[in-house]
Amino acid sequence: AYWGYLTLNGFDGKKILNPMDKDSLAFTGHYIDHELVSNIEKDCRNRIERCSKGKPVRFLFTIGGAGAQGEFFAAIIKMLLPYVKQNKACIYINCGDYENVWTSLKEKLAGLEELSTLHFNDWQEEKAFAELAIENQDEKNGRGLHVFCNKDIFAAVYITNLLMRACDLLITKPSELAFYPVPKLFIKRIGGHEKWGAIHSAELGDGSQECQSPEFACAVIKEIMENSLLIQQMCCNIIEEKKKGTYDGAYKAVELAI
């Protein structure tokens, strides 16, 4: 990203542009919310503890506003449903502020609604649920299938921040979430630029390579279900990257501003 902006690569087709002035650009690192960065060690320890004790693996699905790649997400959820029924997996689905995403998933997956607990348009309840899940204080918050949707845009977006702390594996396209300090599995990108997020995360070791098909994504998840060390390794890498300041971009931007 730094080199792309420095050289303005692609900003005017293939034309070679004048580079940005050296004082106009600064490399800071990943822009991550304070509450996530400050709790990296604690949240990773919780994940490692759950894995080592054979607790249900917690998967967080963040589905975009228009339900982009709905078929991809549906295929993975379908594959995980038997694990949910066996209490080996727990699913969190955030539909944002689009209830039609939930309607579409129900149509694609028979029996999904019967398995699901809905957390719709009640921010205080959603927040309390996520906070208990983060602290491992309530077993029911770490099992089953939970769907979140909120018409308030703040609640719709912010619940992902809280659930990222509570989950063991985030399943997302390699968008801005590719840079967050949580173990990740990447589905196929939509924007061409997103490939670099997946590559960067895979090289850091805090995320998987980009899965180009639902079948491959399901195969990777099956490996994770059978070998919890894969998540633990990502957690260890996240802790090491925190020591290096990889996730301190927002802090450094504030320092530059003042």
Side-chain angles (χ1 to χ4, degrees):
Y2 177 83
W3 277 96
Y5 279 99
L6 176 69
T7 60
L8 301 177
N9 182 32
F11 279 58
D12 189 8
K14 295 183 179 180
K15 183 179 179 181
I16 306 300
L17 302 176
N18 291 326
M20 290 184 68
D21 183 88
K22 65 182 178 65
D23 295 324
S24 299
L25 195 66
F27 182 82
T28 58
H30 300 194
Y31 272 45
I32 308 296
D33 307 74
H34 166 68
E35 63 188 339
L36 282 121
V37 179
S38 62
N39 287 294
I40 280 176
E41 291 90 350
K42 175 184 176 181
D43 295 340
C44 283
R45 281 197 302 269
N46 283 342
R47 293 183 186 108
I48 291 170
E49 181 182 354
R50 287 193 294 269
C51 287
S52 62
K53 291 184 176 180
K55 299 285 186 179
V57 180
R58 301 174 177 184
F59 294 88
L60 170 59
F61 292 77
T62 57
I63 303 180
Q69 296 176 301
E71 297 289 343
F72 209 124
F73 280 111
I76 299 174
I77 294 169
K78 181 179 180 180
M79 175 264 181
L80 278 172
L81 288 181
Y83 290 105
V84 173
K85 293 175 182 177
Q86 298 166 31
N87 199 31
K88 293 181 179 179
C90 170
I91 295 177
Y92 304 137
I93 301 173
N94 184 18
C95 300
D97 57 338
Y98 288 84
E99 193 168 340
N100 64 295
V101 170
W102 170 237
T103 302
S104 176
L105 278 176
K106 288 190 295 183
E107 292 171 353
K108 290 181 174 69
L109 298 171
L112 180 66
E113 189 169 18
E114 290 74 14
L115 279 174
S116 302
T117 301
L118 304 187
H119 306 267
F120 282 27
N121 299 310
D122 185 346
W123 171 241
Q124 293 305 320
E125 184 277 332
E126 295 165 33
K127 182 171 178 282
F129 174 95
E131 289 173 345
L132 285 173
I134 289 169
E135 299 296 337
N136 290 336
Q137 288 182 2
D138 195 331
E139 285 289 329
K140 74 174 189 288
N141 292 18
R143 64 176 64 190
L145 196 154
H146 301 268
V147 186
F148 298 81
C149 185
N150 205 303
K151 292 178 182 177
D152 177 76
I153 191 64
F154 171 82
V157 173
Y158 194 64
I159 193 64
T160 290
N161 275 35
L162 298 180
L163 292 173
M164 272 195 287
R165 292 191 56 201
C167 78
D168 296 317
L169 190 73
L170 170 66
I171 298 181
T172 181
K173 67 186 183 74
S175 59
E176 64 277 8
L177 291 177
F179 300 91
Y180 273 68
V182 55
K184 297 168 289 285
L185 181 139
F186 296 117
I187 66 170
K188 186 177 181 180
R189 66 185 180 271
I190 294 179
H193 65 285
E194 292 179 337
K195 72 176 182 179
W196 297 108
I199 292 169
H200 180 62
S201 176
E203 289 179 336
L204 292 183
D206 66 3
S208 75
Q209 60 184 313
E210 183 182 347
C211 299
Q212 294 289 329
S213 69
E215 293 78 13
F216 184 54
C218 289
V220 173
I221 290 173
K222 185 178 179 181
E223 286 297 318
I224 289 170
M225 291 301 302
E226 295 178 359
N227 181 6
S228 65
L229 285 175
L230 294 171
I231 290 177
Q232 295 183 52
Q233 287 168 356
M234 286 192 222
C235 288
C236 292
N237 291 334
I238 289 168
I239 291 171
E240 287 303 309
E241 290 302 320
K242 189 201 172 179
K243 294 176 183 177
K244 300 175 186 177
T246 298
Y247 308 111
D248 288 351
Y251 296 144
K252 292 175 182 175
V254 172
E255 290 171 2
L256 287 169
I258 60 174

